[in-house]
Amino acid sequence: MDVNIEESWKQVLGKEFDKDYFKLLTNFVRKEYATHKCFPPGREIFSAFDHTPFSQVKAVILGQDPYHGDGQANGLCFSVGEGVAKPPSLVNIFSELKNDLGVSPPDHGNLQSWAEQGVLLLNATLTVRAHQAGSHQNKGWEQFTDAAITALSEGCENLVFLLWGGYARKKGARIDSSRHLVLSSGHPSPLSANRGYWFGNQHFSKTNAYLTEKGKQPIGWQL
């Protein structure tokens, strides 16, 4: 099956596109987009891969679902387009970034510049029906994104995986921690953050310290 995705990822994940689960997933997604409002826009479903080629990945942030509100999801986890109000989780991400590195929160929530520097902003499920959180879970996306994580774990060295919340930690079980740095904390959502499981994790500075130690260019987190 020909899938419109960045070429290096097409080479890495090509076998997935011909598997039965992916064909079923493709049919499901096409029907959903034809009969319901869904997010992100079709051209942005694979944005995480398109903005961060396989060989350029330095770090991975794992999300769960795309935002399901109108105009929010842009294919990069936790990110929204410019001019869109920042969701609470993203506000808390920027707050921790300021506490950790002194980086002032931007006036927008578009994380594309992180992606272009090698931060794969990957949701476990790449699509969602409008205003129905989790509506496209367990349809095959998780198997596909598991394959991407496995490919990174096995085919790369010295990546940083940032696992925020129980769902991300569970999905990260396939990561070889002897080859990569795995950073875990609570989720940046207000429910978790306000209980003390998010703030103070210093994941941004820890990521850059590790990348520098391994001879890689650190991430410029300032947007």
Side-chain angles (χ1 to χ4, degrees), residues 5 9 13 44-50 52 57 59-66 75-79 111 115 118-127 141-152 161-164 167-168 171 174-175:
I5 191 172
W9 280 107
L13 297 173
E44 296 179 344
I45 291 174
F46 293 108
S47 280
F49 301 98
D50 294 336
T52 314
V57 176
V60 182
I61 297 176
L62 289 178
Q64 189 166 353
D65 272 359
L76 306 175
C77 74
F78 294 108
S79 175
L111 305 182
V119 182
L120 182 67
L121 298 168
L122 183 64
N123 278 314
T125 303
L126 299 189
T127 57
W141 279 131
E142 294 89 346
Q143 186 172 341
F144 176 71
T145 51
D146 278 351
I149 294 168
T150 298
L152 289 166
F161 289 86
L162 298 95
L163 309 181
W164 297 342
Y167 185 89
K171 194 169 181 67
R174 62 193 61 248
I175 300 165

Side-chain angles (χ1 to χ4, degrees), residues 118-191:
V119 182
L120 182 67
L121 298 168
L122 183 64
N123 278 314
T125 303
L126 299 189
T127 57
V128 69
R129 191 186 293 186
H131 314 301
Q132 296 186 38
S135 50
H136 288 186
Q137 291 179 2
N138 302 314
K139 301 297 184 181
W141 279 131
E142 294 89 346
Q143 186 172 341
F144 176 71
T145 51
D146 278 351
I149 294 168
T150 298
L152 289 166
S153 179
E154 295 178 354
C156 302
E157 297 283 350
N158 304 323
L159 303 183
V160 184
F161 289 86
L162 298 95
L163 309 181
W164 297 342
Y167 185 89
R169 287 196 298 273
K170 182 177 180 182
K171 194 169 181 67
R174 62 193 61 248
I175 300 165
D176 184 351
S177 59
S178 70
R179 300 174 64 177
H180 309 285
L181 177 63
V182 179
L183 299 174
S184 300
S185 78
H187 194 276
S189 66
L191 181 62

Side-chain angles (χ1 to χ4, degrees), residues 96 100 160 162-164 183-185 198 200-208 221:
E96 175 57 24
D100 186 10
V160 184
L162 298 95
L163 309 181
W164 297 342
L183 299 174
S184 300
S185 78
W198 165 256
N201 66 29
Q202 298 183 317
H203 279 189
F204 303 102
S205 60
K206 290 176 180 177
T207 294
N208 278 356
W221 298 108

